[in-house]
């Protein structure tokens, strides 16, 4: 990087360039003896949008009713809202011919003082007075034309249309026309009050506007419209109080907007620091917001331009009607390219054209990256950080040869880390002791976790017998190594106390950027607090309360989980016992007599002698299963859930779909057994002698029965049925399938042995 000296002043170029304060007047006061500095402007996307809207307003070509516009510059503190508002104000003030621009740099509960001393009024500038007088004359001409147009007496004669056209085209003097046709003052007042009724409900403004076009009263009316006390003459005519208070000032601005809007002139109001009203007492704040909402509506309806600055929190709380009428322009944090351009413009402020070489010298690339990180992209922080780093690297004066990361960190610590760590510890002890939270000793003598460099002695808050909150104060301007040290501290504490029995709260003594804050929160699962925050003590108490609730909730969840598991086990055991009792009750209530064994039928006598016993055994098992059925034995009769008082209710015997499926599988298995036995009998009767081939037809019959059994649905029956024989470890359905499959193998083996023994067989 080229760090050669550049041809400009050695003075710190960032000093006194981090804030803008809007003024009600266009003049400025030079502070100091040196020449004024060149304005530094780095236009961004929001700036371009703002100026585009301002230009469209100034050069509006559509109907006058569609000209009005309200813009809200929305952004956090330091993002440049006031800079953009000041830029728009300067552009509006440069217009030719001049247009009325009212600027409120900061709203106040005493808005009367702001109106008198800080707002530009017609008496403060000749051009402004001339423009205001012309607007009043034009407005008065329209009012006079409306009065004469409604006159049905015929006294205007044939020149009526010409008079009306001359008034509306501003060729005739409305005062002379009103005097010539004897239009009395009360009629004018009444008509003006009709105009003002939609803006303000006040007779004083109607009287003042009616008298303003008369030379004898002009000065007194202007004094009153500028915030002065009403003269005796005005008091006689009903103007008996000065313009004061929030409501009175906003009514005056609304009247001005009506006058300029009626005459077709552009006009603007710029309002900065609207968030100051959040600290006002409730009644004053409500009054201001109500009057402000009405003023926005008036400006838009009468073709005015309003620009105001607001932070996101207040913008979100404003009434829905404002959100519908106001167009918000959001300001975002700056990225590296914008930061680089801002620094370069300040460094080369007095160099024209800019010299060759690194545009950000003497700032190194690493310093630039650190500035972007630590400032969170907020322009005001960027400039303050650059100013501090410049002074830190200058070493007594002059232009520094090189500004590195150390200079940036030095600037941060000198600005945000002014309090020593013992002061932080005392403040922690005082705050925690008030709530009886302080515990000087660690939970265990052997617990001495390694602390980050420069960190203070941790404080331990005991929530329960084995639950703790650790408060760890750390120094300002954390690096990646500091974050890893905090993570190591947290890991050691959790390994010793248990991850579910402790929380770690980090207190930063000074500055922490968003990225480092998120890294600390990721490591500890708790958002760190900043000691310099004005709300630190309250935030510390709220954070400890929240962490205590978190630990208690975790403890409750653990105990509830154990209780739930135990109850679930007990419930399962109880349901099993109840099922057994119901089975016994059914057996006692409905005893089943032993079923006689089925007699061998004709088909059984037709099969060969060696396989008659296997077929008989299989048939007996299936018949027993069909007799016993699947599931509980159906019961018919009266239901047993009545109270014994009313009529008996019939019982519905239901069957589960799986039980029906198992019963169907048993019936089909019984039919397969009959078919198997019939096929074997037919095979045996089909021929004798050595010509029979047992490996062909007999194998096909046995295999056909076996694969047909394999596709049967699972048979879900009571596992304790003794007649299923061996294999009690397997499910009942699987043992039925195995019984039938083994029958096929047994029949095939016995008949093959019978055929191999010779032709003599029964």
């Amino acid at each position: 990087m080229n760090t050669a000296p550049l041809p400009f002043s050695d003075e710190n170029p960032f000093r006194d360039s981090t804030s803008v304060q809007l003024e009600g007047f266009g003049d400025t006061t030079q502070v100091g003896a040196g020449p004024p500095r060149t304005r530094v402007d780095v236009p961004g996307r929001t700036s371009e949008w703002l100026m585009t809207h301002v230009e469209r307003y100034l050069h509006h070509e559509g109907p006058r009713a569609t000209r009005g516009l309200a813009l809200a510059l929305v952004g956090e503190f330091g993002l440049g809202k006031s800079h953009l508002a000041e830029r728009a104000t300067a552009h509006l003030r440069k217009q030719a011919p001049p247009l009325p621009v009212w600027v409120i740099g900061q709203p106040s509960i005493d808005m009367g003082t702001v109106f008198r001393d800080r707002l530009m009024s017609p008496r403060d500038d000749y051009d402004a007075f001339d423009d205001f007088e012309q607007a009043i004359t034009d407005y008065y001409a329209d009012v006079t034309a409306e009065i004469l147009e409604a006159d049905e007496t015929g006294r205007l004669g044939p020149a009526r249309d010409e008079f009306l056209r001359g008034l509306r085209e501003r060729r005739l003097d409305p005062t002379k026309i009103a005097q010539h046709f004897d239009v009395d003052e009360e009629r004018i007042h009444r008509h003006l009050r009709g105009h003002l009724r939609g803006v303000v409900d006040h007779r004083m403004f109607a009287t003042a506007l009616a008298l303003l076009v008369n030379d004898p009263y002009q000065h007194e009316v202007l004094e009153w419209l500028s915030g002065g006390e009403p003269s005796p003459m005005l008091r006689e005519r009903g103007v008996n109080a000065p313009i004061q208070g929030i409501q009175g000032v906003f009514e005056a601005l609304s009247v001005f907007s009506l006058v300029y809007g009626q005459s077709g002139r552009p006009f603007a109001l710029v309002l900065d620091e609207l968030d100051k009203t959040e600290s006002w007492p409730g009644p004053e704040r409500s009054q201001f917001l109500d009057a402000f909402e009405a003023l926005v509506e008036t400006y838009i309806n009468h073709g005015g331009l309003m620009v105001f600055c607001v932070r996101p929190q207040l913008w979100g709380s404003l009434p829905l009607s404002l959100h519908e009428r106001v167009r918000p322009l959001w300001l975002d944090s700056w990225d590296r390219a914008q930061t680089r351009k801002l620094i370069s413009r300040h460094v080369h402020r007095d160099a024209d054209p800019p010299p060759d070489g690194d545009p950000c010298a003497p700032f190194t690339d690493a310093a630039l990256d650190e500035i972007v990180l630590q400032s969170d992209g907020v322009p005001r922080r960027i400039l303050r950080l650059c100013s501090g780093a410049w002074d830190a690297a200058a070493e007594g004066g002059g232009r520094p040869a090189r500004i590195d990361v150390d200079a940036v960190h030095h600037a941060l610590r000198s600005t945000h880390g002014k309090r020593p760590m013992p002061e932080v510890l005392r403040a922690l002890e005082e705050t925690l002791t008030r709530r009886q939270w302080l515990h000087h000793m660690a939970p265990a003598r052997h617990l001495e976790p390694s602390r980050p460099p420069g960190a203070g002695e941790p404080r331990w808050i005991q929530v329960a017998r084995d639950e703790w909150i650790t408060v760890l104060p750390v120094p300002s301007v954390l690096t990646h190594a500091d974050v890893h040290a905090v993570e190591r501290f947290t890991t050691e504490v959790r390994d010793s106390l248990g991850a579910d029995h402790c929380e770690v709260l980090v207190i930063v003594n000074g500055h922490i950027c968003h990225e480092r804050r998120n890294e600390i929160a990721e490591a500890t699962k708790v958002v760190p607090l900043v000691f310099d925050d004005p709300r630190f003590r309250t935030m510390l108490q709220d954070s400890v309360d929240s962490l205590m609730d978190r630990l208690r909730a975790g403890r409750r969840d653990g105990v509830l989980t154990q209780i739930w598991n135990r109850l679930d086990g007990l419930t399962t055991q109880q349901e099993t016992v109840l099922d057994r009792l119901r089975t016994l009750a059914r057996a006692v209530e409905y005893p089943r007599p032993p079923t006689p064994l089925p007699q061998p039928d004709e088909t059984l006598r037709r099969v060969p002698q060696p396989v008659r016993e296997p077929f008989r055994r299989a048939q007996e098992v299936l018949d027993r299963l069909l007799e016993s059925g699947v599931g509980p034995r159906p019961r018919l009769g009266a239901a047993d859930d009545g109270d014994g008082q009313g009529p008996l209710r019939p019982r519905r015997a239901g069957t589960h779909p799986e039980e029906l499926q198992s019963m169907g599988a048993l019936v089909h298995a019984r039919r397969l057994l009959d078919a198997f036995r019939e096929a074997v009998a037919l095979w045996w009767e089909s021929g004798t002698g050595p010509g029979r081939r047992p490996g062909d037809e007999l194998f096909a019959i046995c295999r056909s029965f076996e694969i047909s059994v394999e596709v049967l649905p699972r048979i879900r029956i009571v596992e304790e049925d003794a007649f299923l024989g061996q294999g009690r470890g397997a499910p009942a359905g699987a043992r039925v399938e195995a019984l039938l499959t083994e029958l096929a193998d047994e029949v095939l083996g016995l008949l093959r042995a019978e055929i191999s023994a010779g032709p003599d067989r029964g």
Side-chain angles (χ1 to χ4, degrees):
M1 173 177 289
N2 181 17
T3 57
L6 299 177
F8 52 79
S9 172
D10 289 341
E11 184 183 358
N12 188 333
F14 301 96
R15 190 172 296 133
D16 303 328
S17 61
T18 60
S19 62
V20 163
Q21 184 175 359
L22 295 182
E23 297 292 344
F25 295 86
D27 58 327
T28 58
T29 302
Q30 174 66 27
V31 178
R37 291 187 171 185
T38 306
R39 177 186 175 89
V40 174
D41 186 19
V42 181
R45 182 177 57 182
T46 308
S47 177
E48 294 175 358
W49 288 345
L50 173 63
M51 298 312 297
T52 299
H53 286 301
V54 172
E55 285 296 328
R56 287 178 181 174
Y57 170 80
L58 293 174
H59 301 94
H60 180 74
E61 297 180 354
R64 187 170 61 185
T66 63
R67 185 175 199 167
L69 178 63
L71 302 173
L73 298 175
V74 188
E76 290 292 351
F77 181 78
L79 286 177
K81 301 186 297 295
S82 297
H83 280 267
L84 294 184
E86 193 271 339
R87 183 184 179 196
T89 302
H91 184 71
L92 292 171
R93 283 172 170 163
K94 291 179 182 178
Q95 298 303 306
L99 56 94
V101 180
W102 295 280
V103 178
I104 300 178
Q106 178 177 320
S108 170
I109 294 179
D110 185 11
M111 285 298 296
T113 302
V114 175
F115 184 75
R116 289 191 303 272
D117 301 334
R118 305 307 304 164
L119 252 65
M120 188 76 172
S121 64
R123 66 179 181 181
D124 296 318
D125 183 86
Y126 177 78
D127 292 333
F129 169 74
D130 186 63
D131 185 66
F132 183 68
E133 184 181 29
Q134 185 60 50
I136 289 293
T137 302
D138 295 344
Y139 176 55
Y140 196 77
D142 290 335
V143 172
T144 305
E146 291 176 9
I147 294 176
L148 295 179
E149 189 175 24
D151 193 323
E152 299 178 354
T153 61
R155 56 178 174 167
L156 297 180
R160 175 179 181 274
D161 293 339
E162 182 62 28
F163 282 131
L164 296 178
R165 191 181 305 110
L167 288 172
R168 293 196 169 103
E169 293 178 356
R170 315 305 188 223
R171 292 184 288 102
L172 299 179
D173 186 347
T175 305
K176 294 181 179 179
I177 295 295
Q179 292 175 352
H180 178 75
F181 290 103
D182 195 22
V183 179
D184 60 19
E185 185 176 321
E186 182 55 33
R187 289 187 62 190
I188 296 177
H189 286 193
R190 187 166 55 252
H191 209 78
L192 286 173
R193 285 196 297 273
H195 271 248
L196 295 175
R197 190 169 294 116
V199 181
V200 293
D201 187 14
H202 213 300
R203 292 179 56 94
M204 294 194 299
F205 286 103
T207 301
L209 294 182
L211 295 175
L212 190 59
V213 294
N214 297 323
D215 290 337
Y217 311 120
Q218 198 172 77
H219 176 73
E220 298 177 19
V221 174
L222 282 177
E223 283 294 323
W224 180 77
L225 288 176
S226 300
E229 291 286 340
S231 66
M233 183 275 301
L234 291 179
R235 291 182 181 275
E236 291 176 359
R237 288 167 171 76
V239 183
N240 50 21
I243 298 174
Q244 58 188 356
I246 297 172
Q247 189 69 34
V249 172
F250 279 15
E251 284 182 351
L253 293 174
S254 298
V255 171
F256 294 158
S257 70
L258 174 64
V259 171
Y260 282 102
Q262 191 78 13
S263 64
R265 287 169 169 76
F267 57 97
L269 171 64
V270 181
L271 179 60
D272 193 15
E273 298 192 35
L274 195 66
D275 303 271
K276 295 291 185 181
T277 59
E278 287 190 298
S279 60
W280 290 7
E284 287 80 1
R285 184 174 183 272
S286 299
Q287 184 183 15
F288 178 88
L289 291 179
D290 291 342
F292 177 73
E293 182 180 2
L295 185 63
V296 171
E297 191 78 13
T298 301
Y299 260 68
I300 294 176
N301 292 341
H302 293 99
L305 171 65
M306 177 180 286
V307 180
F308 62 94
C309 304
V310 63
R311 297 178 70 178
Q313 182 177 0
L314 179 58
W315 168 250
S317 66
L318 291 178
L320 181 61
S321 60
L322 284 178
H323 285 256
E324 294 174 348
R325 302 298 307 268
V326 179
R327 179 169 300 177
L329 302 179
W330 290 82
L331 282 75
D332 297 326
S333 299
W334 288 23
D335 56 17
R336 191 181 192 279
Q338 291 175 300
T339 303
R340 183 182 182 88
K341 185 181 295 184
L342 178 67
I343 294 175
S344 176
R345 293 281 180 88
H346 277 80
V347 170
H348 300 286
R349 188 201 302 261
D350 299 325
D352 189 22
D356 297 331
D358 188 350
C360 289
F363 290 90
T364 64
D365 286 340
L368 178 61
D369 292 337
E370 192 68 13
I371 291 172
V372 174
L373 173 69
Q374 297 293 345
S375 66
D376 295 323
V378 178
R380 179 171 298 184
R381 297 179 189 171
I382 294 172
L383 295 175
R384 289 181 176 176
L385 190 53
C386 290
S387 178
W390 184 286
D391 291 338
E395 297 180 354
R399 179 181 182 275
R402 187 171 184 270
I403 301 178
D404 54 13
V405 175
D406 290 339
V408 176
H409 287 177
H410 183 275
L412 281 170
R413 292 190 178 97
S414 61
T415 303
H416 300 284
K418 297 180 180 180
R419 301 185 181 184
M421 189 59 71
E423 182 180 348
V424 178
L425 295 176
R426 284 195 300 271
L428 278 176
E429 183 171 353
E430 178 184 353
T431 305
L432 297 176
T433 304
R434 290 180 181 177
R435 302 287 294 271
Q436 296 299 315
W437 283 339
L438 183 60
H439 196 289
H440 291 281
M441 303 299 295
R445 293 182 179 179
H446 63 277
L447 179 57
E448 294 182 358
S450 55
R451 288 178 283 165
E457 184 72 25
R459 294 297 188 248
W460 304 88
I461 303 173
Q462 189 171 16
V463 181
R465 183 176 59 84
D466 57 348
E467 293 177 349
W468 298 80
I469 298 174
T470 307
V471 182
L472 176 66
V474 297
S476 181
V477 193
L478 299 177
T479 62
H480 277 298
D482 297 325
V483 174
H484 290 320
V486 171
E487 186 174 7
R488 183 169 59 253
F489 175 91
T490 304
T491 301
E492 294 177 8
V493 171
R494 288 176 176 168
D495 290 344
S496 177
L497 302 179
D500 298 332
H501 297 279
C502 66
E503 299 286 354
V504 178
L505 174 61
V506 175
I507 307 298
V508 180
N509 179 23
H511 169 80
I512 183 171
C513 61
H514 285 297
E515 183 172 334
R516 295 287 184 264
R517 182 195 65 184
N518 294 339
E519 291 174 355
I520 294 291
E522 181 67 24
T524 63
K525 308 306 179 188
V526 181
V527 179
L529 303 180
V530 178
F531 185 69
D532 284 348
D533 194 308
R535 303 164 297 170
F536 170 73
R537 295 179 185 272
T538 302
M539 294 177 66
L540 175 61
Q541 295 177 3
D542 293 342
S543 298
V544 173
D545 285 334
S546 299
L547 294 178
M548 285 183 171
D549 291 340
R550 185 190 298 185
L551 289 173
R552 294 188 183 108
R555 182 170 67 251
R556 288 194 298 269
D557 292 344
V559 174
L560 287 176
T561 301
Q562 296 177 4
I563 295 175
W564 175 262
N565 293 335
R566 182 59 179 161
L567 289 176
D568 188 52
L570 292 174
T571 302
T572 303
Q573 295 175 7
Q574 289 177 352
E575 290 177 351
T576 303
V577 172
L578 289 174
D579 288 340
R580 298 290 179 88
L581 291 175
R582 293 191 189 101
T583 302
L584 292 175
R586 286 195 297 268
V588 172
E589 186 176 357
Y590 300 100
R592 290 185 293 175
T595 304
L597 295 176
Q599 297 296 324
D601 57 9
E602 182 64 26
T603 305
L604 185 60
R605 288 192 294 269
R606 290 167 52 198
V607 298
Q609 181 64 34
V611 295
R612 289 178 182 175
E613 180 59 23
F615 274 114
R616 187 196 63 78
R617 241 182 5 253
Q619 178 177 334
E620 179 184 354
V621 170
L622 293 180
D623 289 343
R624 287 285 184 89
L625 292 176
L626 286 171
E627 176 65 22
S628 300
V630 179
R633 187 179 183 87
R635 296 175 58 193
L636 300 178
D640 56 1
D641 56 351
D643 55 4
Q645 302 296 328
L648 295 178
R649 297 170 52 195
R651 180 198 306 273
R652 176 185 288 112
T655 305
H656 196 275
E658 291 185 358
E659 298 173 355
L660 290 176
Q661 185 180 21
S662 297
M663 285 293 294
L666 282 174
V667 172
H668 189 63
R670 182 67 172 80
R671 296 182 66 186
L672 284 175
L673 179 63
D674 291 342
F676 183 30
R677 187 171 53 199
E678 178 70 20
V680 170
L682 290 175
W683 170 80
W684 181 260
E685 295 170 352
S686 63
T688 59
R692 185 180 291 113
R693 295 176 296 174
D696 296 334
E697 188 175 355
L698 179 61
F699 175 79
I701 292 172
C702 294
R703 181 58 180 160
S704 177
F705 175 70
E706 185 178 11
I707 62 177
S708 298
V709 170
E710 291 176 351
V711 299
L712 280 175
R714 289 293 181 185
I715 301 173
R716 301 183 180 276
I717 60 178
V718 180
E719 189 176 355
E720 286 75 17
D721 287 325
F723 47 81
L724 287 177
Q726 303 299 321
R728 295 183 61 81
R735 285 187 277 123
V736 172
E737 180 183 347
L739 175 69
L740 298 179
T741 304
E742 291 171 0
L743 174 64
D745 294 336
E746 188 176 4
V747 169
L748 179 62
L750 290 174
L751 291 181
R752 278 180 172 176
E754 179 70 14
I755 293 173
S756 301
D760 298 329
R761 59 194 184 282

